Amino acid sequence: MRSAMARWARFQMTDRIDAASFAVFRMAMGVMLLYDAQRKGLLYFAPNAQNEFTFRYEYFYWLPEEAVWAFPLQIVWMSLSILIIVGLFYRISCILVTLLLIYGFLLGEEFYLNHYYLLILVTLFMCIIPMHRTWSVDALLFFRRGEQGTMRRLYLTLMKAQIEIVLIYAGLVKLNWDWLRLEPIRSWLMMSSDKVWYGFMWETEPGLLLGAFFPVALHLIGAPLLLWRRTRLPVFLLYLVFHVTNHFIFNIGIFPWMTIALTTLFFDPDWPRRLLQRAGLAGLAFAQDGGAAALHPAPLTAGARALLVFALLWTLSQTLLPLRHFLIDGQARWTDEGHRFSWRMKLLDRDFTLPVMLVYMPERDELRVPFGYNRLTRRQQAKVGSQSGMVRRYAMQLADRYRTEDNPDEDIRVHAWIEKSVNNRKNHVYIDPTVDLVTARYNFFAHDDWVILETPHDIRRIEEVRLERERMATNPHVALPPLSEIVQRAGLPPVEDCRMDEADVAIVCRIGGAGS
């Protein structure tokens, strides 16, 4: 067993493969990066330009953000994308693009998307993998003849492992009780039936079953079959149909096209050359070809051994990280703990009542209830109403807003009343209203005790949900209990003489009794 593993490791480090498939992937990724830079660059680098409240990721509150930087950074992103496409100064371009992507990603937690997480992982790999060994300006200018056209097989194995992890987890996470009962996919497909010509199928039970379980089977069965040459092409074509359909149904940016590009890496590494040969473009196909270098093994260097160690540790970490929600008490679909960075894609349809934030200032004998609609964007309201970490950060910022220069250390406590719904269930209290969120602790690998563990409600019929949403659309406060009851359930002293502070756009109440 040990000798077999040693032979496999040596083969991965020394065997040479054609770099053509990676060259095509590099060009495709460059085009997608250029498109994304043009489409979202300004918002990506200045997500909080007009916002009173900002939401950085935990431990990254210190990151600076200036609106005047957005346009120059967008231009840099676009320029680097073009350099990646043509393969000029490839490595430094990939490193800089990755740093830009990470920077913009960390600026706005409310904009988290799995496809940006995957994009960052892919560009990190592009920093490591020499995708400029062929069909690039770098290959013409900087590589010797023997260095062109080939690379170590280990690079390809590492990329395949990452892709398999993403695809298989995307199927595994759907093996839950909600998905087996066709939620939330039933609601999504029925609302999207007019977006594609075959949408009529989703108005029938067999069509919904197909829409729900085709992606599960595709990821759990199809993804491993991509590793087998005989089934690779038909599975790729199924993935092609699946991702193109997703493009028209869901607003998920470049994710479908990026996944299609990643899937092409499962074909033989020389497939672009063979395709060009069949098209009668043999001269172009073999330009910058390594030729005889591919017949000789790559040297077994310290760098190759380091790459192997990195590949093994990376694959292990990427395999274990999506499982961390099993270490956390509660249901991930409800608590949202362990949901991110886990490929838990398109699993949840969240709804919520308007968050009621109780800002209690015992030194002033005052309680304020600031309205969120004029402080938060619609997207921020949605995330604050459904994600515990953002509720906590909102509470901390509210406390800072109400502290004065004369008393910067004033004792200000913020409690929240948020009712949340997941996958067509009835609303249920999401955050423990008795906890002061300003002093609450955050845990990445453990449950936050100020988050309610689970909802007791079961999935409802879609007709009942639609009626409730119609009522909520006309009066968003219809589901909220009276303020006096919310204050009581938060364990705060009773309030009286409540009035509207027009300047602050908040309800201001005087504390009726003693106590803190």
Side-chain angles (χ1 to χ4, degrees), residues 240-260:
L240 190 64
V241 172
F242 173 70
H243 290 304
V244 171
T245 300
N246 281 345
H247 167 72
F248 288 106
I249 296 175
F250 303 114
N251 180 23
I252 48 178
I254 64 171
F255 186 82
W257 313 112
M258 180 167 53
T259 314
I260 291 170

Side-chain angles (χ1 to χ4, degrees), residues 104-258:
F105 181 84
L106 293 174
L107 287 179
E109 185 181 3
E110 68 267 34
F111 292 98
Y112 174 87
L113 288 173
N114 279 295
H115 94 249
Y116 273 113
Y117 174 45
L118 179 60
L119 181 61
I120 289 172
L121 294 186
V122 170
T123 55
L124 279 171
F125 281 131
M126 292 175 71
C127 296
I128 300 169
I129 301 174
M131 299 185 187
H132 57 328
R133 284 286 179 89
T134 192
W135 297 340
S136 72
V137 178
D138 282 350
L140 288 172
L141 298 179
F142 306 121
F143 286 113
R144 296 188 300 271
R145 175 69 177 171
E147 296 176 328
Q148 294 178 2
T150 66
M151 64 174 64
R152 298 179 193 273
R153 179 174 294 275
L154 182 56
Y155 291 119
L156 181 59
T157 303
L158 176 60
M159 282 294 287
K160 285 182 177 179
Q162 180 66 69
I163 301 166
E164 287 287 331
I165 288 170
V166 174
L167 296 179
I168 291 175
Y169 270 117
L172 282 175
V173 296
K174 289 180 172 60
L175 297 180
N176 63 74
W177 187 233
D178 283 11
W179 197 269
L180 295 176
R181 291 187 289 176
L182 306 183
E183 287 298 345
I185 191 68
R186 180 197 302 272
S187 303
W188 291 339
L189 292 182
M190 290 177 69
M191 289 188 295
S192 305
S193 59
D194 60 341
K195 294 183 179 179
V196 290
W197 64 267
Y198 49 84
F200 66 91
M201 296 172 50
W202 299 330
E203 298 177 2
T204 66
E205 199 68 16
L208 289 172
L209 288 169
L210 178 65
F213 294 107
F214 171 72
V216 177
L218 181 62
H219 293 322
L220 294 183
I221 301 173
L225 289 178
L226 285 170
L227 298 169
W228 191 24
R229 179 176 292 181
R230 295 182 61 180
T231 55
R232 191 171 294 146
L233 181 59
V235 171
F236 173 78
L237 294 175
L238 288 175
Y239 266 113
L240 190 64
V241 172
F242 173 70
H243 290 304
V244 171
T245 300
N246 281 345
H247 167 72
F248 288 106
I249 296 175
F250 303 114
N251 180 23
I252 48 178
I254 64 171
F255 186 82
W257 313 112
M258 180 167 53

Side-chain angles (χ1 to χ4, degrees), residues 293-308:
L295 302 176
H296 302 287
L300 189 59
T301 62
R305 292 187 174 92
L307 177 64
L308 177 65

Side-chain angles (χ1 to χ4, degrees), residues 448-489:
D448 294 318
D449 56 11
W450 42 274
V451 179
I452 304 299
L453 274 173
E454 58 186 34
T455 173
H457 304 300
D458 201 0
I459 294 174
R460 297 175 292 171
R461 291 176 56 84
I462 187 65
E463 295 81 7
E464 182 182 349
V465 176
R466 285 175 176 170
L467 286 174
E468 181 178 284
R469 287 179 177 173
E470 288 174 5
R471 292 196 302 270
M472 290 287 292
T474 57
N475 183 6
H477 300 281
V478 68
L480 291 174
L483 178 58
S484 58
E485 182 181 337
I486 293 176
V487 171
Q488 180 184 7
R489 295 181 66 172

Side-chain angles (χ1 to χ4, degrees), residues 357-361 366-368 370 398 402 412-414:
M357 308 301 290
L358 307 174
V359 182
Y360 176 42
M361 296 173 274
E366 184 177 282
L367 182 136
R368 285 181 175 260
L398 278 173
Y402 285 112
I412 295 182
R413 311 169 196 177
V414 181

Side-chain angles (χ1 to χ4, degrees), residues 183-453:
E183 287 298 345
I185 191 68
R186 180 197 302 272
S187 303
W188 291 339
L189 292 182
M190 290 177 69
M191 289 188 295
S192 305
S193 59
D194 60 341
K195 294 183 179 179
V196 290
W197 64 267
Y198 49 84
F200 66 91
M201 296 172 50
W202 299 330
E203 298 177 2
T204 66
E205 199 68 16
L208 289 172
L209 288 169
L210 178 65
F213 294 107
F214 171 72
V216 177
L218 181 62
H219 293 322
L220 294 183
I221 301 173
L225 289 178
L226 285 170
L227 298 169
W228 191 24
R229 179 176 292 181
R230 295 182 61 180
T231 55
R232 191 171 294 146
L233 181 59
V235 171
F236 173 78
L237 294 175
L238 288 175
Y239 266 113
L240 190 64
V241 172
F242 173 70
H243 290 304
V244 171
T245 300
N246 281 345
H247 167 72
F248 288 106
I249 296 175
F250 303 114
N251 180 23
I252 48 178
I254 64 171
F255 186 82
W257 313 112
M258 180 167 53
T259 314
I260 291 170
L262 285 165
T263 311
T264 63
L265 294 175
F266 285 91
F267 290 104
D268 291 341
D270 65 341
W271 71 264
R273 296 192 198 277
R274 289 188 283 109
L275 192 63
L276 288 172
Q277 276 186 287
R278 291 180 183 179
L281 300 172
L284 179 61
F286 289 96
Q288 301 178 7
D289 180 21
L295 302 176
H296 302 287
L300 189 59
T301 62
R305 292 187 174 92
L307 177 64
L308 177 65
V309 173
F310 167 78
L312 294 174
L313 292 177
W314 178 272
T315 303
L316 178 63
S317 66
Q318 284 290 302
T319 302
L320 295 179
L321 185 62
L323 300 175
R324 73 184 189 280
H325 68 278
F326 288 115
L327 304 175
I328 303 173
D329 294 337
Q331 304 168 345
R333 70 184 179 204
W334 169 258
T335 65
D336 213 59
E337 296 168 324
H339 183 79
R340 292 176 178 169
F341 311 109
S342 301
W343 312 118
R344 300 175 63 83
M345 296 176 280
K346 288 299 176 185
L347 288 178
L348 304 175
D349 188 12
R350 303 180 180 96
D351 204 358
F352 56 94
T353 59
L354 291 177
V356 177
M357 308 301 290
L358 307 174
V359 182
Y360 176 42
M361 296 173 274
E363 296 178 25
R364 307 184 206 178
D365 286 333
E366 184 177 282
L367 182 136
R368 285 181 175 260
V369 184
F371 286 35
Y373 67 84
N374 69 315
R375 289 175 165 83
L376 303 175
T377 67
R378 292 185 64 181
R379 189 178 189 91
Q380 287 176 339
Q381 289 182 55
K383 300 302 181 180
V384 166
S386 60
Q387 295 180 8
S388 58
M390 290 192 61
V391 181
R392 173 176 166 270
R393 279 183 280 285
Y394 182 40
M396 294 167 67
Q397 291 181 77
L398 278 173
D400 289 337
R401 289 294 190 277
Y402 285 112
R403 291 192 176 101
T404 63
E405 293 183 4
D406 295 336
N407 190 5
D409 299 321
E410 180 182 359
D411 178 19
I412 295 182
R413 311 169 196 177
V414 181
H415 299 247
W417 181 270
I418 297 174
E419 296 183 23
K420 173 179 165 182
S421 166
V422 173
N423 295 346
N424 293 339
R425 290 172 169 82
K426 289 184 66 175
N427 285 342
H428 186 65
V429 177
Y430 176 45
I431 301 296
D432 184 350
T434 66
V435 173
D436 172 21
L437 296 178
V438 177
T439 58
R441 295 180 62 86
Y442 166 80
N443 298 284
F444 187 74
F445 287 102
H447 173 66
D448 294 318
D449 56 11
W450 42 274
V451 179
I452 304 299
L453 274 173

